[in-house]
């Protein structure tokens, strides 16, 4: 039976909540040959935006090759380089003979080689003899550009969980070399015909790479997707409810949008529970029941998050929940027992690394997980929360 609300995979088609501004912005950047880093909190629809942008580009211009890689399990530069090589080969060719030709032409003289036996036994196209040195690394990082140039066919490389490269062994070496290669190609953007799109599930780690360390300064454009419009989300929820013969009040659905801060993954999950709990009109008691079930599903994770925090860090979060933004002020330090302005700064950095909160362009704290924000308010700090 088809679920009216999809939250188990990236959405498209009728279940995609139109984010035309984001899709248009990404398409424009890709048309210009820009490398792009999408900066979003977890489960904010980054993959759906990328998929929608690629689909739009395919309808507007000549076809192109797409290379998609998830880097969540990458631990060493060699892991990344092999996966990049394999992915580029599969994006540009489809047979063992073609793979061998591409590898032989573009990777000759490096430690990388076409491995027919490994392809037959494990599905891996490229192997490496020993550990890759800097020359090998640069050769592989230039691989998608040289393949695209030879074929005269555009290639878009999508790297998901990109921030994982920064914590991999030798990740700093890899990122600096990738930045160098993208810097080379940025000067000839109209010629190289290859573009990178990076996104990640840890926004503060992504900010650290692109905005603090500035490893890709002037070579990668950072883009912060806009929050979906409440009215569009409410219209989308109503469309999905009608598929199963249900209706609800627009005011209640607006409250759902605000509770989850427009996070469509949470909204889909929540409304899926509501859909299964109701027979017709979805009223507030159903919403409250669904919310208690959502809390039950995620509470162990939230308790684990809280258990990892010190008493000082919890006090910092309480100050944030109370609406404070100047955490180094004498008033906040005294009221919440933060000890000193230097300690307040350390607490801020620790919570950023734990990906509990982030800060917006006004330097205001924002909880990355809206349901965790609700839970810690209501169930941990016992604050008065309405829903």
């Amino acid at each position: 039976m088809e679920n009216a609300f999809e939250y188990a995979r990236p959405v498209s088609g009728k279940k995609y909540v139109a984010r035309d501004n984001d899709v248009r912005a990404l398409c424009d950047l890709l048309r210009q040959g820009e490398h792009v880093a999408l900066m979003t909190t977890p489960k904010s629809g980054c993959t759906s935006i990328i998929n929608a942008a690629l689909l739009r580009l395919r309808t507007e211009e000549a076809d192109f090759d797409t290379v998609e890689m998830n880097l969540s399990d990458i631990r060493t530069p060699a892991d990344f380089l092999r996966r990049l090589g394999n992915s580029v080969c599969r994006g540009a060719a489809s047979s063992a003979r073609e793979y061998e030709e591409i590898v032989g032409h573009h990777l000759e003289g490096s430690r990388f080689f076409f491995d027919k036996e490994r392809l037959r036994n494990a599905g891996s196209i490229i192997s490496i003899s020993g550990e890759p040195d800097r020359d090998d690394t640069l050769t592989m990082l230039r691989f998608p550009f040289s393949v695209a140039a030879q074929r005269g066919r555009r290639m878009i490389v999508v790297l998901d969980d990109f921030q994982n490269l920064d914590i991999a062994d030798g990740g700093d070496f890899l990122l600096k070399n990738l930045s160098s290669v993208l810097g080379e190609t940025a000067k000839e953007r109209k010629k190289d015909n290859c573009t990178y799109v990076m996104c990640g599930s840890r926004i503060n780690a992504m900010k650290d790479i692109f905005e603090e360390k500035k490893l890709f300064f002037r070579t990668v454009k950072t883009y912060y997707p806009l929050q979906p419009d409440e009215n569009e989300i409410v219209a989308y929820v109503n469309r999905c409810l009608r598929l199963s013969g249900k209706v609800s009040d627009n005011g209640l659905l607006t409250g759902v949008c605000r509770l989850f801060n427009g996070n469509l993954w949470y909204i889909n999950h929540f409304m899926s529970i509501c859909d299964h709990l109701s027979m017709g009109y979805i009223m507030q008691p159903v919403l409250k029941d669904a919310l208690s079930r959502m809390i039950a599903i995620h509470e162990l994770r939230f308790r684990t998050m809280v258990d990892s925090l010190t008493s000082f860090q919890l006090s910092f979060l309480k100050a944030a929940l109370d609406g404070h933004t100047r955490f180094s002020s004498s008033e906040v330090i005294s009221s919440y027992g933060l000890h000193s302005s230097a300690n307040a700064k350390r607490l801020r950095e620790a919570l950023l690394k734990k990906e509990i909160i982030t800060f917006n362009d006004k330097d205001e704290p924002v909880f990355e997980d809206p349901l965790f924000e609700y839970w810690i308010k209501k169930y941990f700090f016992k604050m008065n929360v309405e829903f």
Side-chain angles (χ1 to χ4, degrees), residues 230-231 233-235 237 248-262 267 287 387:
E230 280 184 1
N231 293 329
I233 296 175
V234 169
V237 171
S248 188
D249 178 75
N250 283 356
L252 292 177
L253 296 181
T254 299
V256 171
C257 292
R258 293 174 182 173
L259 170 67
F260 295 114
N261 197 27
I267 291 171
L287 300 182
F387 176 67

Side-chain angles (χ1 to χ4, degrees), residues 82-349:
R82 272 195 300 264
R83 183 167 300 175
L84 177 62
N86 283 321
S87 300
V88 169
C89 286
R90 293 192 185 281
S94 58
S95 70
R97 182 182 61 80
E98 291 174 322
Y99 298 151
E100 187 171 14
E101 288 177 357
I102 289 175
V103 172
H105 180 77
H106 296 280
L107 301 180
E108 184 179 8
S110 72
R111 288 184 170 88
F112 298 102
F113 62 94
F114 172 69
D115 193 333
K116 185 179 295 185
E117 183 176 350
R118 189 178 176 88
L119 175 62
R120 184 169 54 249
N121 296 331
S124 181
I125 299 165
I126 292 176
S127 291
I128 182 171
S129 175
E131 286 297 315
D133 60 17
R134 187 170 189 271
D135 288 339
D136 298 318
T137 299
L138 291 173
T139 297
M140 182 56 80
L141 293 176
R142 292 172 179 140
F143 184 46
F145 296 94
S146 60
V147 170
Q150 183 206 23
R151 287 163 53 81
R153 183 180 170 87
R154 189 177 185 192
M155 180 175 290
I156 297 178
V157 181
V158 180
L159 303 180
D160 193 11
D161 269 329
F162 180 78
Q163 80 289 327
N164 199 58
L165 292 183
D166 197 31
I167 60 174
D169 294 336
D172 190 55
F173 166 82
L174 186 57
L175 288 173
K176 286 180 178 178
N177 281 289
L178 179 58
S179 177
S180 175
V181 168
L182 297 190
E184 295 169 0
T185 60
K187 298 174 184 177
E188 302 178 352
R189 203 170 275 130
K190 294 181 180 179
K191 299 179 183 178
D192 61 54
N193 226 22
C194 179
T195 314
Y196 274 76
V197 179
M198 299 98 149
C199 59
S201 59
R202 300 172 63 229
I203 187 171
N204 294 326
M206 292 285 285
K207 286 181 178 180
D208 186 58
I209 293 171
F210 292 98
E211 297 178 358
E212 299 298 325
K213 295 178 179 175
K214 297 185 183 296
L215 289 175
F216 296 87
F217 185 59
R218 293 182 178 174
T219 61
V220 174
K221 296 287 187 181
T222 57
Y223 179 75
Y224 288 82
L226 303 172
Q227 186 166 313
D229 182 77
E230 280 184 1
N231 293 329
E232 288 188 357
I233 296 175
V234 169
Y236 155 76
V237 171
N238 279 320
R239 288 197 304 271
C240 292
L241 287 175
R242 284 195 292 271
L243 293 175
S244 52
K246 314 287 176 62
V247 293
S248 188
D249 178 75
N250 283 356
L252 292 177
L253 296 181
T254 299
V256 171
C257 292
R258 293 174 182 173
L259 170 67
F260 295 114
N261 197 27
N263 184 299
L264 289 162
W265 181 77
Y266 268 136
I267 291 171
N268 274 308
H269 191 183
F270 178 78
M271 292 308 305
S272 178
I273 296 173
C274 292
D275 188 23
H276 285 87
L277 288 176
S278 63
M279 297 296 292
Y281 197 88
I282 298 177
M283 302 180 69
Q284 192 163 20
V286 173
L287 300 182
K288 289 185 175 181
D289 189 7
L291 182 57
S292 68
R293 292 168 188 250
M294 285 277 286
I295 293 295
I297 292 169
H298 295 278
E299 188 168 25
L300 178 60
R301 177 168 63 90
F302 295 158
R303 290 195 178 278
T304 301
M305 291 168 64
V306 165
D307 289 345
S308 73
L309 303 177
T310 67
S311 57
F312 280 125
Q313 290 167 358
L314 288 168
S315 296
F316 191 102
L317 290 182
K318 181 61 165 61
L321 291 170
D322 286 339
H324 293 286
T325 58
R326 298 177 62 246
F327 298 98
S328 295
S329 68
S330 57
E331 177 190 354
V332 172
I333 289 171
S334 174
S335 299
Y336 294 89
L338 301 185
H339 193 267
S340 67
S341 59
N343 191 46
K345 184 177 180 180
R346 286 192 293 270
L347 296 172
R348 171 181 169 134
E349 294 303 314

